[in-house]
């Protein structure tokens, strides 16, 4: 009987914490591709990374904003089958510290933006930046500012509306439209819920394009 090979869709099968950076010397830059997530404190960056990787405690999630203070690299292995050939990819997901944390001083805010600006500009293997925006609050001035800045420096930008599960279906749809209008990016915005995995397939398809191209 002919062997039936299983066709595997692109998926992450291994994810481990790799390292953290607080200055330029600590950026990884080992040639593997990087996909980074950025957004307001508490918007759900760490939760999204956990959801994407199918893990509960890979990235540290907290109710208190401002928990992720360093650039955190997670080493990812993914695979897919194409024409019965298995392909594997090794790359990084990067969790960036959140902006707009109210308890932070102006000096800290300036340090933050210089630090992240430097990370984006000096990471040649960074292939995509996901800007996370709370789907309940499209168009906050602080997010507009972040968007305008990222639009100039991010290699490829996708806007992700988070916490979709907190909205009714039609509200979520309307707010996604608003995100697309206010924040035109390289790809259509994705609405996401780390609670129920909505949006995960769309984001996976985009990541597949980026890490396999
Ligand atoms: N209902 C719901 N809650 C979420 C979702 N994503 C995150 N949260 C909650 O929002 C809070 C903040 O989530 P984090 O993932 O830690 O947010 P973060 O952007 O990494 O925050 P910082 O590291 O402080 O910048 C936690 O209480 C999460 O449980 C979501 O999709 N749905
Ligand atoms: Mg975090």
């Amino acid at each position: 009987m002919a062997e039936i090979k299983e066709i595997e869709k692109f998926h992450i099968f291994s994810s481990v914490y790799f390292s953290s950076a607080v200055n330029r010397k600590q950026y990884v830059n080992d040639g593997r591709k990087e996909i980074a997530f950025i957004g307001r404190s508490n918007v759900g960056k760490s939760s999204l990374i956990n959801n994407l990787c199918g893990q509960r405690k890979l990235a540290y999630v907290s109710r208190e904003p401002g928990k992720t203070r360093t650039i955190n690299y997670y080493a990812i292995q993914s695979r897919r089958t194409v024409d019965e050939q298995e392909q594997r990819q090794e790359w990084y997901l990067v969790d960036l510290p959140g902006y707009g944390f109210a308890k932070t001083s102006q000096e800290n805010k300036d340090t933050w933006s210089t630090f992240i600006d430097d990370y984006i500009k000096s990471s040649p293997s960074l292939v995509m930046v996901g800007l996370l925006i709370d789907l309940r609050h499209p168009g906050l001035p602080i997010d507009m500012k972040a968007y305008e800045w990222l639009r100039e420096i991010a290699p490829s930008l996708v806007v992700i509306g988070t916490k979709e599960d907190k909205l009714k279906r039609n509200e979520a749809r309307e707010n996604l439209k608003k995100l697309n209008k206010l924040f035109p990016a390289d790809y259509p915005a994705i609405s996401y819920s780390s609670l129920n995995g909505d949006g995960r397939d769309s984001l996976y398809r985009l990541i597949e394009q980026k890490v396999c191209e």
Side-chain angles (χ1 to χ4, degrees), residues 147-171:
Y147 164 80
E148 275 154 25
W149 157 64
L150 286 170
R151 197 79 191 98
E152 298 297 317
I153 59 166
S156 199
L157 186 67
V158 59
V159 172
I160 301 166
T162 61
K163 308 191 184 183
E164 183 216 52
D165 55 275
K166 294 198 178 213
L167 285 168
K168 295 201 180 92
R169 205 169 271 274
N170 58 334
E171 286 174 326

Side-chain angles (χ1 to χ4, degrees), residues 5 7 14 18 22 32 54 60 67 74 82 84 118 124 126 130 141 145 154 160 166 175 179 184 191 201-202:
K5 286 217 171 169
I7 296 174
S14 166
F18 185 75
V22 291
R32 291 183 200 173
Y60 185 67
K67 272 296 160 194
Y74 299 93
V82 175
E84 297 195 359
D118 186 53
L126 180 65
K145 222 172 127 189
I160 301 166
K166 294 198 178 213
N175 286 3
L179 285 187
S191 60
D201 285 351
S202 307

Side-chain angles (χ1 to χ4, degrees), residues 39-48 50 60-69 95-99 132 162-166 192-196:
R40 213 152 46 89
S41 284
N42 217 42
V43 73
K45 300 173 292 295
S46 302
S47 302
L48 183 137
N50 288 339
Y60 185 67
V61 171
S62 166
R63 268 173 204 278
E64 281 170 59
K67 272 296 160 194
T68 311
R69 305 271 181 108
D95 194 3
L96 298 174
Y99 55 79
L132 276 61
T162 61
K163 308 191 184 183
E164 183 216 52
D165 55 275
K166 294 198 178 213
Y192 205 100
S193 166
S194 296
L195 209 68
N196 63 28

